[in-house]
């Protein structure tokens, strides 16, 4: 722990953005001017000789994190076909400029030598990495996990999130485990985890390892609540100032029992006396939305960095969201009605999740 640096808490963290260094295929850089690639940092060679990486991996926690993350990358971003498609896409962007400066013949020669050679190395790299992992970490045998999400829930682990009505299958080394966390959608409550058909835990976070078998099927189970409303989408730029409230419960509900606010006082604006059926929504316009004459208009307008809340009359918090900066061509709403908010493009009347 560094008592002289107020920006550190004394803990190491893995920089996920640098995991691609294990795919460094320029072996000439292993010499004295080499980079901190996988070989250098585990062997303490060249520029990797002062790396703390191998020391950090003496920790079971960080070693498990690295192994499970790499297994997921091999199944997604680091598949051979995906790497080659990205490589081809990026090369095509500079192909015309390359021909302009080098000429067609020289560019073709470069493609034949370097492009094809790089693709060959990409095809070989995964096999080499798996051999390295067996040598350095004792990794060899694997077990299979299939995660199946039903309606009303998402599951996150490492860098991944699986949303409702989807499934994900992957193989992991037997000497690593995976920690999963369930996030029920608004209007749903998490009940328990089914692992190979058995109820094993009602905790929203579980850890799975090979002790459950060589082929594991995991299903998070949720139930829908009878009455619930949530903030589904907001717009807070210019005259486009509004809030969408949705009934995500099983039964109809009277909005007159709910209040929205962007101040410390949670009872700032009472929602209108209107019955919302299940899955119905209503738009409440902000005070600066001048085009909303005759529609529901609240007594405040949204601004970035403030917190919008939704309470009932008993001061029970139903929902809240921090209003981000946005343009007049985008809104901020729930992705696939989940717990995650994303920017949504509304340019030319289209609706497309941005980020």
């Amino acid at each position: 722990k560094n008592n002289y640096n107020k920006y550190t808490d004394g803990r190491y963290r893995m920089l996920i953005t640098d995991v691609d260094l294990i795919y460094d295929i320029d072996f000439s850089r292993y010499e004295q001017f080499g980079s901190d690639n996988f070989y250098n940092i585990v062997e303490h060679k060249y520029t990797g000789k002062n790396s703390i990486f191998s020391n950090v991996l003496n920790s079971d926690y960080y070693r498990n994190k690295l192994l499970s993350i790499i297994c997921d990358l091999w199944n997604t971003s680091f598949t051979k076909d995906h790497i080659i498609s990205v490589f081809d896409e990026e090369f095509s962007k500079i192909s015309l400029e390359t021909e302009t400066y080098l000429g067609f013949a020289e560019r073709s020669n470069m493609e034949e030598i370097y492009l094809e050679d790089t693709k060959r190395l990409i095809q070989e790299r995964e096999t080499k990495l798996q051999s390295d992992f067996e040598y350095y970490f004792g990794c060899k045998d694997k077990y299979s996990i299939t995660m199946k999400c039903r309606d009303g829930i998402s599951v996150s682990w490492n860098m991944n999130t699986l949303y409702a009505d989807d499934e994900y299958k992957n193989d992991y080394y037997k000497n690593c485990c995976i920690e999963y966390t369930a996030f029920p959608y608004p209007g749903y409550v998490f009940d328990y985890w089914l692992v190979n058909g058995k109820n094993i835990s009602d905790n929203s976070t579980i850890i799975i390892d090979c002790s459950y078998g060589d082929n594991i099927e995991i299903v998070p189970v949720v139930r829908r609540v009878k009455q619930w409303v949530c903030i589904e989408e907001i717009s807070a730029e210019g005259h486009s100032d509004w809030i969408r409230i949705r009934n995500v419960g099983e039964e109809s509900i009277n909005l007159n029992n709910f209040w929205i606010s962007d101040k410390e006082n949670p009872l700032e604006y009472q929602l209108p006396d209107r019955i919302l059926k299940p899955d119905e929504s209503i738009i409440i316009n902000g005070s600066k939305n001048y085009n909303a004459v005759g529609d529901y208009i609240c007594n405040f307008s949204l601004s970035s960095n403030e917190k919008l809340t939704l309470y009932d009359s008993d001061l029970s918090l139903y929902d809240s969201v921090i209003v981000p900066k946005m343009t007049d061509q985008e809104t901020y709403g729930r992705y696939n009605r989940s717990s995650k908010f994303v920017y949504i493009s509304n340019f030319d009347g289209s609706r497309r999740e941005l980020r």
Side-chain angles (χ1 to χ4, degrees), residues 241-243 284-289 296-298 300-302:
D241 179 25
W242 49 264
I243 304 156
I284 306 298
N285 293 282
S287 58
K288 65 181 179 182
N289 194 343
Y296 301 112
I297 304 176
C298 65
F300 63 88
S301 57
L302 297 177

Side-chain angles (χ1 to χ4, degrees), residues 144-167:
S144 176
I145 297 179
T146 301
M147 174 65 68
K148 295 183 177 181
C149 278
R150 296 173 175 174
D151 186 34
I153 196 166
S154 64
V155 174
S156 295
W157 70 99
N158 293 334
M159 303 175 295
N160 307 292
T161 298
L162 189 68
Y163 292 94
D165 300 320
D166 203 356
E167 67 177 68

Side-chain angles (χ1 to χ4, degrees), residues 1-179:
K1 184 174 182 179
N2 186 345
N3 294 322
Y4 300 98
N5 187 345
K6 64 180 180 180
Y7 299 107
T8 182
D9 59 5
R11 294 188 297 169
Y12 293 121
R13 288 175 176 81
M14 199 170 296
L15 298 180
I16 305 304
T17 53
D18 288 338
V19 169
D20 60 344
L21 283 176
I22 68 170
Y23 269 80
D24 192 329
I25 56 177
D26 187 353
F27 295 100
S28 66
R29 293 165 62 188
Y30 284 3
E31 305 303 326
Q32 60 182 357
F33 299 108
S35 63
D36 281 347
N37 50 46
F38 184 69
Y39 174 78
N40 285 348
I41 58 183
V42 296
E43 291 286 353
H44 285 237
K45 290 181 178 292
Y46 312 120
T47 57
K49 64 183 178 181
N50 296 318
S51 173
I52 62 173
F53 181 79
S54 57
N55 294 328
V56 170
L57 290 189
N58 287 328
S59 160
D60 291 339
Y61 173 81
Y62 286 110
R63 184 170 61 253
N64 182 78
K65 271 292 185 185
L66 175 68
L67 295 178
S68 60
I69 287 171
I70 294 302
C71 285
D72 280 322
L73 287 173
W74 277 335
N75 196 40
T76 53
S77 301
F78 282 4
T79 61
K80 298 173 186 177
D81 290 342
H82 179 68
I83 295 176
I84 290 175
S85 68
V86 171
F87 188 83
D88 286 337
E89 179 183 350
E90 296 304 314
F91 189 84
S92 67
K93 294 177 182 178
I94 64 171
S95 181
L96 183 60
E97 287 78 4
T98 304
E99 183 176 332
T100 300
Y101 287 101
L102 299 180
F104 177 78
E106 185 66 23
R107 191 205 73 178
S108 299
N109 182 58
M110 183 183 70
E111 288 185 7
E112 182 177 350
I113 296 176
Y114 296 105
L115 188 62
E116 296 307 317
D117 193 46
T118 301
K119 288 183 178 181
R120 177 184 59 80
L121 289 171
I122 291 172
Q123 293 285 356
E124 297 173 355
R125 191 62 180 140
E126 183 177 327
T127 300
K128 176 64 169 62
L129 277 173
Q130 295 200 23
S131 175
D132 287 343
F133 274 33
E134 181 177 352
Y135 177 77
Y136 290 112
F137 305 125
C139 299
K140 185 175 182 180
D141 297 329
K142 292 185 177 182
Y143 66 108
S144 176
I145 297 179
T146 301
M147 174 65 68
K148 295 183 177 181
C149 278
R150 296 173 175 174
D151 186 34
I153 196 166
S154 64
V155 174
S156 295
W157 70 99
N158 293 334
M159 303 175 295
N160 307 292
T161 298
L162 189 68
Y163 292 94
D165 300 320
D166 203 356
E167 67 177 68
Y168 176 83
K169 182 178 182 179
N170 195 22
D171 295 333
Y172 299 93
Y173 289 113
K174 285 192 172 182
N175 54 346
C176 73
C177 57
I178 314 297
E179 182 178 290

